[in-house]
Structure formats: C-alpha cells, structure tokens
Amino acid sequence: MKSSPFSLESYFTYADSDSDAKSPPVDTVNHDIHFHPGIGADGTETSTPRTVIYDLKGGFGSLRKINALYEMQEDVEGGSMPRGLWDGNVVVHKQDAIRQSAYQQSLDTGVPPTAPLSTESVRYWSDFNRVYYHPRSIIQLNDFELNSILLPFERWEVGEELFASLDKEHDILDRDFRLWAEECDQLQGIQMLTGADDAWGGFAAKYVERLRDEFGKGAIWVWGIEEGGKAQRDKQLLRTINAARSMHDISAQSSMYIPISDPPIQLPAYVCMDRSSQWHTAGLLSIALESVTLQPRLRADNGRSLMLNDFEAALNVNGNQRIARLECSLMDPKVLAEQRRERGIKEASTADQRMPVTGPGTGTSKSLGEESGGLQVAKDASLGHLDIDFFAGHAGQTAATMIPSGQRTRVAKKSHVFGHTESFRGDFERGRREDGEEAGFARKRRRIARLPLVESYYSSLQYPLLDSFPKIFSEWSKHTESVAVHSSLSTTSKVAERVKGLQRVVGRMVGLDEREALSNGLWEIGEAYEDGWNSGSDSDDDF
C-alpha cells in the first residue's frame, strides 16, 4: 500500500485510541476480505487487493507488474537472463515504457499533487489508481493490443478463442487464480467485473464456466459492463449480439449476473459528467457497486456477518432469477442530516401516531396504515424510484431500433418486483428490521401474497470522495469529502422486457447455426421474470 497520506488508507479505519473510543460508533470494514496481507521486499507489512486483472497489451498504462513493494525481488530475479542452451550474444529489445502522469508521480514521492486530475491527463485507468497490486494480480494478454484497428478485440467468439488457447497452454485457473483462492480462510464468493458487449464477454463466459466446475455451488457474481454511448449502426448491432450471448451464457453459470450500462442512459441533474471519459463513468459506477456490496465487507459486531449468499436468497426468489438490476441515488450528507433533524422536530411536536412518516432519505411519505393483511404493500417508500438506473442499457434501445416499426411491441408500463435488497450509507432514517423466526414468517407471508421480498441494510459509513475522484457532481460536492448513498439490487419484470428485445435482434441477425439455441435460451430466461404475476392486472405498479 502506498505510504503517502493521499493513499487508499483513506478507506482503512483505526479505532484503537481512547479518543476514538469516545466517538460515536462507526461501522468498520473488514479489509481482510478484499485485501491480502503480505510482506514486501524490504520486510514491511503490506496490503494488496485480492484480485486478478486481465488487460490487453498497453491497457495497463504506466502501471508496472513489479512495483515499489517488490522491486528488490525484481532486481534479484531479473538481474541475469537465463542462457539455456544458447551461449551467443543476446540483444534485448524493450518497448519504451509509458510515462507516469504527474498525479502518479506525486503519489510515489509522497507529496500533494501539483495539479488535479483532468480528462486530458487521464489516459488509462492506472492514471487514477491509488493502490499497489501484488505481481500475481497483473496479467497482460499480449495476443491483442488495446484499441487496435487491425485486430480489434470486439467479437464475442474472439474472446472465447483467446481463453481456450491460453487455458490449453497454461491452465489459467491453476496459473492465475488458485493460489488466491487457497489463501482465503473462508471463501464466501467470487466477483468478476468484465466487459459484456465485446470480446471480453466471450472470455469471461469461458472463465466463469471453469470457475463453476472448480468451485461447485459457491457464489459467483458477474458484473457485465456494456457501453452506454451511441455508436454506428453496425457496431451497435455487434454490441447488442455480444450482450445477448453474455447474458445467455454467463447467467447460466453464475449465481448472480448484473448487466450494467456504463454510463446510464439518463442521469439526474446533479451529475455533470463527460460520457466519453472512462474516468468519469468509472467513478459513478464505483459508488453504486461498492455501496451495494458494502454489507458483506463490514465487521460483524454481533452474530454472523452477511454473505453474498444472503443477498442471493433475497433476490433469486423463484430459484431461476439470477439477473439483477442495479440502481442508486446520492445525497449531500449535510442536507440529509438537516432533513432528518427537521423530521425529528416535526414528529416530536405531534402525538398522532397515525401521522405519515417519511421513507428513508426519499423525501416522500407513506402511511403506517397502508397495509394489506398485516403486510406492508409493495408501494413502500423503500421501493421508490432511485434516480440513477444502471440497468437501462443500450441493448434494449438497440433492440427497438433494429426492429421494423410495424413489428415493434409497446413497452410494458408495469414492472413487478420479485426480490429487492437495498443499502443505505449515511445518516438515513432506519426502518424496523425483523430477525430470526419473525423474519422467516414475514418472508413466507410475502411469498404467499406475491409481494416483493425486501431486505434493507444500513451503515453510517459514507462513500469517501478522494482527490482522485472526478468532479462529476454539482456544487454541493465541492464542500464535502463524502456522499450519502442509497443503492439497490432487484430482480424485476424489466429483465423480461430487455431479454425479449435481445431475443428479437438475435432472431433476425444471428447465423442459423446458433440462432435457435440462443433465441430459445433467452426466451427461457425471460419466462422466469414473468411467471407468478399478471402483467395485465389493473392494480397499481410495484415500481
């Protein structure tokens, strides 16, 4: 880990001092879950992420495989080249290294950055990276070059073929992954972030298949990132077909698949970002992704900590709903605290317990008497709209544009929710939580009534805005070092709408040799999100 004060230590918490003991209790993250403790080349203790990163040639930018933590080992191991059977002269040709950005140079020297990061200075994701990686984490695939015009890494089957060739030569899991898994005391699951609408989708599909063979029924979550920007018609069609293949193949092997539009099609007014900047879009996505998965990383004060399997139980209601929708909303912590203070004053000034109460951080109200058979109906404030929807990706829109106007079907207005988990980070008003047998009975009652299964989790730990985070928010973000986040994952009937759009494109554009299998597989996926509810009902929308 970098030793400068502007490092990833901002995420680490220390509460050993007496002054900390007098402070209000703050949730702490168990960093051993995502970070691997080790010993650096100079004998100091280190913490590096438990991760394996694959990228194309040139994709890592200035990031070195052997960094400052391990460079002494590099000198020892790489000081002399093995000669083998050749005893002649050896000429080594090295490509010029990519120069570090000024921001990275300031981190290495431990001084404050002389100039903030900008879209012009950020060329690669490593330009805004703030952490050292273990050498085993960095794996460059030299078969393809980043942004190559002659040999683009775009077609789904190209990724399949690349994985097959590498796995045949090296056994990728043994070479790259197994040691990481064996070092875990309790492996609760595996998370994978991958492109889903290019060749990375094919690579990831084969990788997940091998992981499933090796790790059986363990939790495997895949976040499939799709390009949310516009492209030429031919390229857009290729992306859509790739996305359909990823959804079909990856969701069959993973325990949860979350397709993500990066960036989202629509953004709230307080988000002002450059959609063409991967630095900007990655910053927004990191807030939602890290927040919605925060709970399994928190230390358990009492009893068992949450696991990825607990989230799956709440989302995969019928056993075949493994595709989820990611959403989030952000708030200024000062505004949120003021709203909660005003609500407290208002509630304290009245004795009428039937007074409508405000839902967590939404600013809307719900009536305590709004119940059906003792069950709170699906119009909970917690099931209200969040203003950043990462699920509304390009594929559904592309599906509509690729179908002749006479064959297009009207988009369904109603959306049914099957399972819903939400995470609140900040000073949100906490709802009542059922535990033990009470929670089990409540789940059964909601299943019988065909109401959404809802799990809400709260943490006082806000999302920190480091100096490497892009300035993509309105004026309020300039005077705060963190943001309050309300994020959610849900399984809804919107999945069926999207899958049907992909199926229509596949039926017209994919070759005969795989059209039937892919189309039928997508149809089966969509059916899982229609069974058990009546889309023609006259009742109000769940969402």
Side-chain angles (χ1 to χ4, degrees):
M1 202 168 68
K2 293 189 177 181
S3 58
S4 77
F6 309 95
S7 69
L8 199 68
E9 280 187 299
S10 301
Y11 287 93
F12 281 68
T13 50
Y14 308 93
D16 295 332
S17 65
D18 294 336
S19 60
D20 289 337
K22 298 176 182 179
S23 302
V26 178
D27 293 327
T28 56
V29 174
N30 182 359
H31 301 288
D32 288 338
I33 293 178
H34 276 185
F35 282 82
H36 165 264
I39 303 296
D42 58 355
T44 58
E45 294 185 0
T46 64
S47 291
T48 53
R50 300 182 189 271
T51 185
V52 179
I53 305 175
Y54 295 94
D55 211 336
L56 305 181
K57 183 179 180 181
F60 288 101
S62 62
L63 185 67
R64 293 186 296 164
K65 183 179 181 71
I66 309 295
N67 53 54
L69 293 181
Y70 301 94
E71 61 186 0
M72 293 175 64
Q73 296 177 6
E74 180 187 30
D75 293 339
V76 173
E77 297 172 1
S80 61
M81 181 176 295
R83 308 292 293 212
L85 298 177
W86 174 256
D87 59 357
N89 295 328
V90 176
V91 179
V92 178
H93 295 274
K94 289 187 177 181
Q95 186 177 12
D96 293 338
I98 297 175
R99 189 175 180 179
Q100 274 190 324
S101 64
Y103 180 81
Q104 288 297 316
Q105 292 176 13
S106 67
L107 290 180
D108 285 343
T109 56
V111 298
T114 56
L117 287 171
S118 65
T119 54
E120 291 78 17
S121 64
V122 173
R123 305 155 298 169
Y124 307 91
W125 63 266
S126 59
D127 287 338
F128 54 89
N129 170 63
R130 298 180 59 93
V131 63
Y132 283 131
Y133 294 96
H134 192 281
R136 294 204 315 258
S137 293
I138 305 300
I139 302 173
Q140 181 170 277
L141 305 179
N142 294 314
D143 301 69
F144 292 85
E145 191 167 356
L146 183 69
N147 300 326
S148 172
I149 298 176
L150 297 177
L151 195 61
F153 199 62
E154 294 179 346
R155 305 191 70 84
W156 202 84
E157 56 271 17
V158 170
E160 273 190 314
E161 294 168 359
L162 177 60
F163 180 89
S165 64
L166 294 175
D167 195 42
K168 182 178 180 180
E169 182 179 357
H170 302 289
D171 191 333
I172 287 184
L173 259 62
D174 276 342
R175 185 192 70 176
D176 303 337
F177 188 84
R178 193 173 305 281
L179 283 175
W180 289 106
E182 292 175 349
E183 289 174 353
C184 297
D185 295 331
Q186 183 182 6
L187 182 63
Q188 67 163 290
I190 302 166
Q191 294 192 69
M192 177 186 293
L193 279 78
T194 179
D197 59 353
D198 55 15
W200 285 113
F203 189 90
K206 288 300 181 182
Y207 208 111
V208 172
E209 184 179 333
R210 288 278 279 111
L211 288 173
R212 181 57 71 197
D213 291 340
E214 291 289 332
F215 296 95
K217 297 183 179 180
I220 301 177
W221 284 36
V222 179
W223 307 80
I225 301 175
E226 304 172 18
E227 178 61 50
K230 296 181 180 180
Q232 295 180 353
R233 180 180 176 87
D234 291 345
K235 192 168 186 177
Q236 192 75 56
L237 176 60
L238 177 61
R239 288 178 182 175
T240 303
I241 295 174
N242 290 339
R245 287 170 171 162
S246 294
M247 181 171 289
H248 176 268
D249 284 34
I250 297 178
S251 66
Q253 299 292 338
S254 60
S255 51
M256 194 59 61
Y257 179 66
I258 304 97
I260 294 172
S261 175
D262 183 34
I265 298 300
Q266 296 181 342
L267 292 171
Y270 61 81
V271 177
C272 305
M273 60 187 292
D274 182 353
R275 289 178 174 270
S276 64
S277 170
Q278 292 187 353
W279 175 44
H280 282 195
T281 60
L284 183 63
L285 176 58
S286 71
I287 294 180
L289 195 152
E290 182 181 309
S291 297
V292 83
T293 59
L294 175 66
Q295 289 296 325
R297 305 197 308 274
L298 293 180
R299 297 185 186 276
D301 295 330
N302 298 305
R304 182 179 71 91
S305 60
L306 284 170
M307 309 282 281
L308 291 177
N309 290 333
D310 297 319
F311 282 74
E312 294 173 13
L315 293 170
N316 192 359
V317 176
N318 296 330
N320 55 355
Q321 296 165 326
R322 296 187 293 272
I323 301 175
R325 172 188 182 189
L326 174 65
E327 297 175 279
C328 79
S329 286
L330 312 178
M331 286 194 69
D332 183 348
K334 293 182 179 179
V335 174
L336 181 62
E338 180 64 21
Q339 288 181 355
R340 183 167 182 177
R341 187 187 68 82
E342 292 176 355
R343 287 197 300 269
I345 295 174
K346 184 176 181 180
E347 291 173 5
S349 64
T350 177
D352 185 0
Q353 297 302 316
R354 296 172 298 174
M355 185 82 176
V357 297
T358 305
T362 60
T364 58
S365 61
K366 60 179 180 180
S367 172
L368 293 178
E370 193 173 337
E371 306 251 338
S372 175
L375 296 175
Q376 201 167 338
V377 298
K379 292 185 292 183
D380 292 353
S382 61
L383 285 182
H385 286 280
L386 300 184
D387 50 24
I388 304 178
D389 185 358
F390 289 91
F391 186 79
H394 72 271
Q397 292 187 344
T398 304
T401 58
M402 294 297 176
I403 303 299
S405 58
Q407 300 179 21
R408 297 179 191 174
T409 57
R410 183 175 60 89
V411 177
K413 293 183 179 180
K414 298 183 183 299
S415 175
H416 180 78
V417 182
F418 298 96
H420 183 85
T421 65
E422 55 188 355
S423 173
F424 296 91
R425 299 184 65 170
D427 192 24
F428 288 94
E429 184 177 348
R430 303 198 176 200
R432 176 177 174 271
R433 180 169 177 79
E434 299 165 328
D435 297 309
E437 293 184 1
E438 184 181 7
F441 287 136
R443 287 175 63 89
K444 291 180 180 179
R445 292 197 300 269
R446 295 185 76 89
R447 282 180 182 270
I448 294 173
R450 293 183 177 178
L451 295 176
L453 297 184
V454 181
E455 294 287 350
S456 300
Y457 306 102
Y458 299 84
S459 172
S460 58
L461 193 64
Q462 299 170 355
Y463 182 90
L465 298 177
L466 306 183
D467 60 359
S468 60
F469 195 89
K471 306 299 182 183
I472 58 175
F473 302 128
S474 54
E475 293 297 321
W476 59 264
S477 66
K478 295 181 180 180
H479 59 260
T480 181
E481 297 180 349
S482 60
V483 293
V485 186
H486 177 190
S487 57
S488 73
L489 285 174
S490 57
T491 48
T492 78
S493 58
K494 283 189 176 294
V495 175
E497 297 175 14
R498 170 140 187 228
V499 171
K500 286 183 177 180
L502 294 173
Q503 185 186 6
R504 288 194 292 270
V505 174
V506 166
R508 298 181 62 250
M509 301 297 180
V510 175
L512 290 173
D513 54 341
E514 61 174 330
R515 179 187 304 170
E516 183 176 359
L518 183 56
S519 180
N520 291 342
L522 290 172
W523 180 84
E524 292 178 1
I525 292 173
E527 282 294 294
Y529 296 86
E530 293 184 344
D531 185 34
W533 76 289
N534 184 4
S535 60
S537 171
D538 292 332
S539 61
D540 290 337
D541 297 356
D542 282 348
F543 257 179

